[in-house]
Amino acid sequence: MSLLRRFGGDHPYLTAFTLVELVFLILPSIIILVVSLGSGEIISFPPTELSLKWYASLLDQSEYVSPFINSVVVATFCTAISIPIGIVTALGLNRYDIRFEDGIQIYLLLPFTVPLVVSGFIFLIIFGRLGWIGQLWAVGLGLTIINIPFMIWSVASSVNAFDPTLEDAARSLGAEEIQTFFKVTLPSLMPGVISGALLMFMLALNEFIVSLIITVTSTETLPVAIYGAIRGNISPQVAAVSSIYVVVAIVAIIVADRLVGLERFLHT
């Protein structure tokens, strides 16, 4: 009780609940990392002997390397095209009276209302008709469509906090519209843009359901490859592949903290 009060002040039970929740969230990632260091042919926890051989073996496994490259390409594609879309849309919704604004607002709620499996089948039908199945950029386009609301929300938070008098001051000093945008407006929106870009990259890198439906062997992403692997045999090698996502998540958190600060990132 005294220990809880030391860390939680006047709310020791709330602090205890928070600590339990944090452990519950972090423990699976720790288990995956520990299991991936086992030297045996089957998964055991805790491992009897530690080794990095499963990580070394990944470099020779094309069934994991190619999907990983595909995942990075898809995530980069999503991030690249979502940045201008997010900026233009957030500014437009904030500054102009758009005729279809209600429809756009409804679209921004789709990630929470339409199951991903439904979105996947819709893309399968449309992309199949257009002959886009088997194209890696089409996978990126589909993941961008379902995740772009997160980018718009992130940039919109910076747009709402932006002081428009800064633009007026720049124009009064002789700056043209394009100069004002790139030297005043865009730098002020960068925290939201960076946060949204990180979200888009991570969401596209991790997406499984839609990718499972619209990918083929040549465009298979890493989550789909992991799913195929665990259907046959769960080995420490699969754990090593899975730990890649833990490492990427840690790197993303560090980048977010360095560029915009975690507190601001969590508020976007």
Side-chain angles (χ1 to χ4, degrees):
M1 184 68 175
S2 59
L3 181 62
L4 292 178
R5 287 192 177 277
R6 181 182 303 175
F7 288 99
D10 296 331
H11 306 283
Y13 295 106
L14 179 60
T15 302
F17 177 79
T18 303
L19 291 175
V20 171
E21 186 175 1
L22 286 174
V23 171
F24 180 78
L25 292 173
I26 296 174
L27 192 59
S29 298
I30 295 176
I31 292 176
I32 284 293
L33 290 173
V34 173
V35 166
S36 67
L37 296 175
S39 61
E41 297 294 328
I42 60 175
I43 285 182
S44 61
F45 183 83
T48 56
E49 185 179 350
L50 299 180
S51 173
L52 294 175
K53 73 173 188 177
W54 296 113
Y55 287 94
S57 68
L58 292 179
L59 298 177
D60 300 325
Q61 301 294 322
S62 60
E63 62 265 31
Y64 293 127
V65 175
S66 295
F68 175 72
I69 294 174
N70 289 341
S71 291
V72 173
V73 171
V74 167
T76 303
F77 178 87
C78 290
T79 305
I81 66 175
S82 68
I83 291 175
I85 294 174
I87 294 173
V88 171
T89 305
L91 286 172
L93 291 174
N94 180 268
R95 299 184 176 184
Y96 303 103
D97 185 15
I98 301 176
R99 179 179 301 179
F100 303 106
E101 182 175 351
D102 291 340
I104 296 176
Q105 296 291 351
I106 293 174
Y107 168 71
L108 295 179
L109 296 175
L110 289 182
F112 301 104
T113 57
V114 178
L116 290 176
V117 65
V118 175
S119 299
F121 277 114
I122 292 173
F123 291 141
L124 181 63
I125 294 171
I126 296 175
F127 292 173
R129 281 295 186 94
L130 296 174
W132 293 353
I133 298 296
Q135 302 294 326
L136 194 58
W137 64 266
V139 180
L141 178 62
L143 300 189
T144 301
I145 293 173
I146 65 172
N147 291 324
I148 194 65
F150 296 100
M151 183 69 185
I152 297 174
W153 288 333
S154 181
V155 180
S157 67
S158 291
V159 173
N160 293 332
F162 177 67
D163 185 0
T165 60
L166 295 176
E167 292 179 324
D168 296 335
R171 285 190 289 265
S172 68
L173 294 174
E176 298 179 355
E177 289 291 335
I178 192 69
Q179 290 177 311
T180 301
F181 176 77
F182 281 105
K183 293 189 176 182
V184 178
T185 308
L186 186 58
S188 299
L189 303 183
M190 284 309 293
V193 173
I194 294 173
S195 299
L198 286 172
L199 280 173
M200 288 296 297
F201 188 88
M202 292 302 300
L203 289 171
L205 194 70
N206 296 336
E207 177 55 44
F208 166 67
I209 297 177
V210 174
S211 298
L212 179 65
I213 296 173
I214 64 176
T215 58
V216 295
T217 302
S218 61
T219 59
E220 187 179 62
T221 57
L222 189 56
V224 179
I226 293 175
Y227 172 72
I230 63 176
R231 294 180 64 186
N233 179 34
I234 303 179
S235 68
Q237 188 177 60
V238 177
V241 177
S242 302
S243 66
I244 292 175
Y245 284 100
V246 178
V247 175
V248 170
I250 294 173
V251 171
I253 292 173
I254 294 174
V255 171
D257 184 41
R258 295 292 184 181
L259 295 180
V260 298
L262 280 181
E263 184 175 355
R264 189 164 188 176
F265 176 75
L266 295 174
H267 279 83
T268 56

Tab-separated table of all heavy atoms in Angstrom, residues 65-92:
chain	number	residue	atom	x	y	z
A	65	VAL	N	11.921	-12.296	-46.819
A	65	VAL	CA	12.602	-11.088	-47.287
A	65	VAL	C	11.751	-10.348	-48.311
A	65	VAL	O	11.552	-9.126	-48.211
A	65	VAL	CB	13.981	-11.436	-47.877
A	65	VAL	CG1	14.629	-10.182	-48.486
A	65	VAL	CG2	14.893	-12.028	-46.817
A	66	SER	N	11.229	-11.068	-49.298
A	66	SER	CA	10.418	-10.422	-50.336
A	66	SER	C	9.149	-9.797	-49.764
A	66	SER	O	8.830	-8.643	-50.081
A	66	SER	CB	10.067	-11.436	-51.438
A	66	SER	OG	11.231	-11.856	-52.120
A	67	PRO	N	8.386	-10.508	-48.912
A	67	PRO	CA	7.218	-9.862	-48.297
A	67	PRO	C	7.580	-8.653	-47.454
A	67	PRO	O	6.824	-7.672	-47.420
A	67	PRO	CB	6.621	-10.980	-47.434
A	67	PRO	CG	7.027	-12.233	-48.098
A	67	PRO	CD	8.411	-11.955	-48.614
A	68	PHE	N	8.729	-8.705	-46.772
A	68	PHE	CA	9.144	-7.547	-45.980
A	68	PHE	C	9.409	-6.345	-46.883
A	68	PHE	O	8.996	-5.216	-46.577
A	68	PHE	CB	10.397	-7.883	-45.167
A	68	PHE	CG	10.954	-6.707	-44.413
A	68	PHE	CD1	10.301	-6.206	-43.292
A	68	PHE	CD2	12.119	-6.085	-44.832
A	68	PHE	CE1	10.808	-5.116	-42.597
A	68	PHE	CE2	12.630	-4.997	-44.149
A	68	PHE	CZ	11.970	-4.507	-43.030
A	69	ILE	N	10.100	-6.577	-47.993
A	69	ILE	CA	10.351	-5.494	-48.947
A	69	ILE	C	9.032	-4.962	-49.496
A	69	ILE	O	8.839	-3.742	-49.626
A	69	ILE	CB	11.264	-5.981	-50.088
A	69	ILE	CG1	12.657	-6.322	-49.538
A	69	ILE	CG2	11.377	-4.926	-51.186
A	69	ILE	CD1	13.582	-6.937	-50.565
A	70	ASN	N	8.104	-5.875	-49.818
A	70	ASN	CA	6.793	-5.447	-50.299
A	70	ASN	C	6.076	-4.579	-49.266
A	70	ASN	O	5.451	-3.565	-49.604
A	70	ASN	CB	5.926	-6.663	-50.641
A	70	ASN	CG	6.378	-7.393	-51.884
A	70	ASN	OD1	7.118	-6.833	-52.699
A	70	ASN	ND2	5.955	-8.622	-52.044
A	71	SER	N	6.159	-4.984	-48.009
A	71	SER	CA	5.499	-4.224	-46.946
A	71	SER	C	6.081	-2.816	-46.830
A	71	SER	O	5.340	-1.838	-46.667
A	71	SER	CB	5.637	-4.955	-45.603
A	71	SER	OG	4.878	-6.144	-45.584
A	72	VAL	N	7.402	-2.717	-46.907
A	72	VAL	CA	8.052	-1.403	-46.812
A	72	VAL	C	7.673	-0.538	-48.009
A	72	VAL	O	7.393	0.669	-47.858
A	72	VAL	CB	9.579	-1.571	-46.722
A	72	VAL	CG1	10.272	-0.211	-46.794
A	72	VAL	CG2	9.961	-2.273	-45.430
A	73	VAL	N	7.641	-1.128	-49.201
A	73	VAL	CA	7.264	-0.372	-50.404
A	73	VAL	C	5.824	0.122	-50.292
A	73	VAL	O	5.517	1.288	-50.583
A	73	VAL	CB	7.443	-1.240	-51.670
A	73	VAL	CG1	6.846	-0.544	-52.888
A	73	VAL	CG2	8.919	-1.523	-51.914
A	74	VAL	N	4.921	-0.755	-49.866
A	74	VAL	CA	3.515	-0.384	-49.719
A	74	VAL	C	3.359	0.718	-48.669
A	74	VAL	O	2.631	1.700	-48.885
A	74	VAL	CB	2.669	-1.623	-49.333
A	74	VAL	CG1	1.279	-1.200	-48.870
A	74	VAL	CG2	2.557	-2.569	-50.513
A	75	ALA	N	4.035	0.574	-47.531
A	75	ALA	CA	3.930	1.575	-46.466
A	75	ALA	C	4.499	2.915	-46.921
A	75	ALA	O	3.934	3.978	-46.612
A	75	ALA	CB	4.666	1.080	-45.225
A	76	THR	N	5.597	2.883	-47.669
A	76	THR	CA	6.186	4.126	-48.185
A	76	THR	C	5.264	4.788	-49.192
A	76	THR	O	5.094	6.016	-49.192
A	76	THR	CB	7.552	3.835	-48.835
A	76	THR	OG1	8.404	3.193	-47.878
A	76	THR	CG2	8.199	5.120	-49.314
A	77	PHE	N	4.653	3.979	-50.062
A	77	PHE	CA	3.700	4.498	-51.050
A	77	PHE	C	2.521	5.172	-50.353
A	77	PHE	O	2.120	6.290	-50.706
A	77	PHE	CB	3.210	3.349	-51.933
A	77	PHE	CG	2.196	3.750	-52.965
A	77	PHE	CD1	2.586	4.222	-54.199
A	77	PHE	CD2	0.841	3.644	-52.700
A	77	PHE	CE1	1.647	4.592	-55.154
A	77	PHE	CE2	-0.103	4.008	-53.643
A	77	PHE	CZ	0.303	4.484	-54.874
A	78	CYS	N	1.962	4.500	-49.337
A	78	CYS	CA	0.840	5.065	-48.586
A	78	CYS	C	1.214	6.390	-47.944
A	78	CYS	O	0.454	7.368	-48.002
A	78	CYS	CB	0.379	4.090	-47.508
A	78	CYS	SG	-0.428	2.614	-48.101
A	79	THR	N	2.378	6.417	-47.334
A	79	THR	CA	2.813	7.635	-46.644
A	79	THR	C	3.019	8.775	-47.625
A	79	THR	O	2.597	9.917	-47.369
A	79	THR	CB	4.124	7.369	-45.880
A	79	THR	OG1	3.937	6.256	-44.990
A	79	THR	CG2	4.540	8.583	-45.077
A	80	ALA	N	3.654	8.482	-48.766
A	80	ALA	CA	3.976	9.521	-49.743
A	80	ALA	C	2.727	10.180	-50.320
A	80	ALA	O	2.663	11.410	-50.451
A	80	ALA	CB	4.836	8.935	-50.864
A	81	ILE	N	1.718	9.389	-50.669
A	81	ILE	CA	0.537	9.997	-51.289
A	81	ILE	C	-0.454	10.528	-50.257
A	81	ILE	O	-1.310	11.359	-50.575
A	81	ILE	CB	-0.178	9.007	-52.238
A	81	ILE	CG1	-0.775	7.831	-51.468
A	81	ILE	CG2	0.758	8.540	-53.313
A	81	ILE	CD1	-1.581	6.902	-52.371
A	82	SER	N	-0.323	10.082	-48.998
A	82	SER	CA	-1.254	10.566	-47.973
A	82	SER	C	-0.883	11.955	-47.467
A	82	SER	O	-1.755	12.691	-46.996
A	82	SER	CB	-1.297	9.586	-46.798
A	82	SER	OG	-0.067	9.577	-46.089
A	83	ILE	N	0.392	12.312	-47.559
A	83	ILE	CA	0.826	13.618	-47.040
A	83	ILE	C	0.159	14.774	-47.787
A	83	ILE	O	-0.483	15.627	-47.154
A	83	ILE	CB	2.358	13.731	-47.063
A	83	ILE	CG1	2.961	12.785	-46.017
A	83	ILE	CG2	2.802	15.165	-46.810
A	83	ILE	CD1	4.485	12.735	-46.038
A	84	PRO	N	0.268	14.858	-49.125
A	84	PRO	CA	-0.424	15.971	-49.805
A	84	PRO	C	-1.936	15.900	-49.670
A	84	PRO	O	-2.594	16.941	-49.537
A	84	PRO	CB	0.023	15.827	-51.268
A	84	PRO	CG	0.499	14.423	-51.405
A	84	PRO	CD	1.052	14.046	-50.081
A	85	ILE	N	-2.501	14.684	-49.696
A	85	ILE	CA	-3.948	14.550	-49.542
A	85	ILE	C	-4.390	15.052	-48.172
A	85	ILE	O	-5.377	15.784	-48.047
A	85	ILE	CB	-4.381	13.081	-49.739
A	85	ILE	CG1	-4.129	12.635	-51.177
A	85	ILE	CG2	-5.861	12.903	-49.395
A	85	ILE	CD1	-4.397	11.162	-51.413
A	86	GLY	N	-3.663	14.676	-47.147
A	86	GLY	CA	-4.009	15.091	-45.790
A	86	GLY	C	-3.917	16.590	-45.604
A	86	GLY	O	-4.796	17.210	-44.986
A	87	ILE	N	-2.847	17.202	-46.138
A	87	ILE	CA	-2.668	18.640	-45.998
A	87	ILE	C	-3.770	19.409	-46.709
A	87	ILE	O	-4.407	20.309	-46.142
A	87	ILE	CB	-1.284	19.066	-46.527
A	87	ILE	CG1	-0.177	18.475	-45.643
A	87	ILE	CG2	-1.166	20.583	-46.580
A	87	ILE	CD1	1.229	18.697	-46.189
A	88	VAL	N	-4.015	19.064	-47.970
A	88	VAL	CA	-5.027	19.778	-48.771
A	88	VAL	C	-6.418	19.603	-48.168
A	88	VAL	O	-7.194	20.570	-48.057
A	88	VAL	CB	-4.995	19.285	-50.231
A	88	VAL	CG1	-6.180	19.848	-51.014
A	88	VAL	CG2	-3.685	19.668	-50.898
A	89	THR	N	-6.750	18.377	-47.769
A	89	THR	CA	-8.082	18.116	-47.222
A	89	THR	C	-8.292	18.823	-45.894
A	89	THR	O	-9.346	19.432	-45.658
A	89	THR	CB	-8.302	16.602	-47.041
A	89	THR	OG1	-8.071	15.935	-48.283
A	89	THR	CG2	-9.726	16.324	-46.581
A	90	ALA	N	-7.311	18.760	-45.007
A	90	ALA	CA	-7.443	19.408	-43.698
A	90	ALA	C	-7.580	20.920	-43.840
A	90	ALA	O	-8.414	21.547	-43.173
A	90	ALA	CB	-6.244	19.056	-42.822
A	91	LEU	N	-6.778	21.517	-44.725
A	91	LEU	CA	-6.883	22.961	-44.943
A	91	LEU	C	-8.218	23.323	-45.578
A	91	LEU	O	-8.848	24.319	-45.210
A	91	LEU	CB	-5.731	23.437	-45.825
A	91	LEU	CG	-4.349	23.510	-45.170
A	91	LEU	CD1	-3.281	23.808	-46.205
A	91	LEU	CD2	-4.338	24.569	-44.075
A	92	GLY	N	-8.645	22.505	-46.542
A	92	GLY	CA	-9.914	22.789	-47.219
A	92	GLY	C	-11.107	22.720	-46.284
A	92	GLY	O	-11.989	23.591	-46.309
